[in-house]
Amino acid sequence: MEISARTDRNDFLPPPEPAAPQSFGLALLAHALLLAALAWGINWQSQPETAGVEAELWSAMPQEAAPPPPP
């Protein structure tokens, strides 16, 4: 039996990915953009809205317009 010179790598392992660092960086960038969009979406809805309608009260207690009719 001849022993061939092999590396310590197992034959059943998948080959190493050549673009793993770029893929990891792209995933981090995508997650950062998603978090920024989520933060912006929460921020624009939390700002107070201005009232579009105003009402002026003429008296503090409402008064009866007319007495009830007699029975």
Side-chain angles (χ1 to χ4, degrees), residues 8-40:
D8 293 337
R9 192 176 163 297
N10 192 351
D11 289 336
F12 296 110
L13 289 176
E17 294 289 331
Q22 291 88 0
S23 301
F24 186 70
L26 184 61
L28 284 178
L29 176 65
H31 280 86
L33 290 175
L34 287 172
L35 286 175
L38 179 64
W40 178 76

